């Protein structure tokens, strides 16, 4: 039984990062005193930055406008709307950047896109680095559909930027290796525990197409679906059958594994890895959170967007950072020869829905 290898390929949790920093009060200077320079941005890991961003955003309420992690400088950059909020961010040890649009304003632009331009082959997310909603149209969007997209985007002004992708947005299910079902093959994401029983997570578009799973094509059943959500979301839950081994690991395809001890939220700018049955392990960067993708099969919202490549058969596989499960491979464009972008269903949402935990 090779399931131990398969179980290692889970990992998981694309569009505005929110960061948690403890807020500090601004101190008043005496009349003749020289102003005290703000402390330099603290050096943070991506995981620490994510927690700090969430806390600081909550503390600033509407005064924060997204955040991202600067990998080279190892610092958290928080977008704000005014100098008062910038001072609080600097006092907390992060770098403040004053921008034009709030998250609420960019959210209104997203709502217009959803109502007027939910065209198959398009995707959009808030880019905290540019303070815009970035809309990407794949190679299938042309003619009247492209004209409609551009018209809607133009009406939203500089809140929106339209880009083109040479590839085609698609889910990554295929026939091949990994976890098999009648008519297709996907990848196992993460092993989880629910009510003391072993299960695993994979992509919802996989569990919508396949109900019973085996380790090999035509092999004995190792699990059957216990839950499925697609489109809208893209996660599925499979209950193990029999005595199949289910370690909380991800297959690194080099003879080793990565232990997975917890689930977490991704951060824009974070370096991540993906493991899948077709292309094995690849790495990249989180470019957006809360991304929307309009697949041919339907729209999925709340995804992690990355520069990691993937190909058919990698669906459901693990997105992770060290021992933390971040996402489940949903779909994207391109491949691992020419490059591309891939979207992932966040793991914490799936765990909460099913009442499960990593294990």
């Amino acid at each position: 039984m090779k399931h131990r290898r398969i179980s290692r390929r889970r990992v998981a949790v694309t569009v505005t990062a929110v960061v948690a920093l403890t807020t500090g009060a601004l101190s008043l200077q005496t009349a003749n005193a020289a102003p005290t320079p703000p402390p330099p941005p603290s050096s943070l890991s991506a995981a620490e930055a994510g927690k700090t961003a969430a806390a600081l955003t909550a503390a600033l309420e509407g005064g924060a406008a997204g955040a991202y992690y600067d990998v080279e400088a190892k610092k958290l950059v928080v977008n704000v709307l005014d100098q008062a909020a910038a001072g609080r961010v600097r006092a907390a040890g992060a770098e403040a950047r004053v921008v034009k649009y709030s998250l609420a304003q960019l959210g209104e632009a997203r709502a217009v896109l959803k109502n007027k331009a939910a065209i198959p082959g398009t995707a959009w997310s808030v880019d905290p680095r540019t303070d815009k909603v970035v809309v990407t149209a794949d190679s299938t969007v042309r003619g009247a559909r492209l004209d409609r997209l551009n018209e809607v985007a133009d009406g939203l002004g500089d809140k929106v930027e339209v880009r083109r992708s040479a590839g085609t947005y698609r889910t990554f299910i295929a026939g091949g290796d990994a976890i098999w079902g009648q008519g297709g093959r996907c990848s196992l994401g993460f092993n989880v525990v629910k009510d003391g029983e072993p299960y695993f997570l994979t992509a919802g578009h996989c569990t919508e197409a396949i109900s019973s799973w085996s380790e090999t094509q035509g092999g004995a059943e190792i699990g059957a679906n216990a839950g499925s959500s697609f489109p809208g979301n893209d996660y599925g839950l499979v209950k193990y059958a029999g005595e199949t081994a289910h370690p909380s690991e991800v297959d690194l395809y080099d003879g080793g594994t990565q232990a997975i001890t917890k689930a977490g939220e991704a951060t824009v700018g974070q370096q991540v890895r993906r493991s899948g049955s077709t292309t094995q392990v690849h790495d990249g960067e989180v470019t957006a959170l809360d991304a929307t993708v309009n697949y041919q099969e339907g729209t999925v919202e709340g995804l992690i967007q990355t520069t990691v490549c993937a190909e058919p058969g990698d669906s459901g596989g693990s997105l992770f950072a060290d021992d933390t499960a971040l996402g489940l491979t949903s779909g994207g464009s391109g491949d691992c020869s020419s490059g591309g972008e891939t979207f992932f269903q966040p793991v914490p949402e799936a765990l909460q829905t099913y009442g499960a935990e990593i294990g």
Side-chain angles (χ1 to χ4, degrees), residues 262-317:
K262 59 183 180 293
E265 301 289 351
T267 302
V268 174
Q270 183 176 14
Q271 297 298 301
V272 292
R273 289 193 290 174
R274 177 198 57 74
S275 180
S277 61
T278 299
T279 59
Q280 302 184 1
V281 178
H282 288 270
D283 57 18
E285 178 182 323
V286 176
T287 55
L289 304 177
D290 195 24
T292 296
V293 184
N294 297 295
Y295 296 122
Q296 298 296 326
E297 302 91 336
T299 299
V300 181
E301 299 179 299
L303 299 177
I304 303 165
Q305 184 173 343
T306 75
T307 61
V308 185
C309 69
E311 296 181 9
D314 287 327
S315 277

Side-chain angles (χ1 to χ4, degrees), residues 47-242:
E48 292 169 334
K51 294 176 182 177
T52 302
L56 187 55
T57 299
L60 292 173
E61 298 179 341
Y68 60 94
Y69 181 63
D70 185 327
V71 177
E72 292 186 2
K74 293 186 177 180
K75 65 183 179 184
L76 172 66
V77 181
V78 181
N79 293 338
V80 295
L81 301 177
D82 54 48
Q83 290 299 332
R88 296 183 68 180
V89 169
R90 296 184 187 110
E95 180 174 314
R97 177 170 167 259
V98 179
V99 297
K100 182 176 180 180
Y101 295 115
S102 68
L103 290 180
Q105 290 172 305
L106 297 178
E108 291 169 359
R110 287 168 56 100
V112 172
L113 289 165
K114 181 178 180 179
N115 290 333
K116 297 183 177 181
I119 299 166
T122 60
W124 53 75
S125 60
V126 173
D127 181 0
R129 294 184 174 96
T130 62
D131 191 38
K132 295 178 185 291
V133 177
V134 175
V135 181
T136 306
D138 73 13
S139 60
T140 68
V141 181
R142 50 186 179 267
R145 295 194 302 166
L146 181 59
D147 291 342
R148 176 157 58 98
L149 176 64
N150 286 331
E151 181 180 358
V152 173
D154 289 344
L156 293 168
D158 64 353
K159 296 187 189 73
V160 172
E161 177 184 349
V162 177
R163 300 175 182 173
R164 296 305 306 264
S165 170
T168 300
Y169 287 133
R170 66 197 191 283
T171 54
F172 286 138
I173 190 169
D177 187 8
I179 52 172
W180 289 82
Q182 184 175 6
R185 179 253 302 178
C186 284
S187 297
L188 191 151
F190 299 96
N191 281 326
V192 300
V193 175
K194 172 181 166 65
D195 299 328
E197 298 292 326
Y199 293 75
F200 67 79
L201 294 173
T202 188
H205 67 267
C206 294
T207 51
E208 287 296 315
I210 299 168
S211 60
S212 177
W213 299 91
S214 61
E215 274 193 294
T216 58
Q217 189 173 23
E221 181 183 86
I222 63 167
N225 291 353
S228 183
S229 182
F230 178 84
N233 302 299
D234 199 358
Y235 50 72
L237 183 70
V238 178
K239 190 177 191 306
Y240 277 112

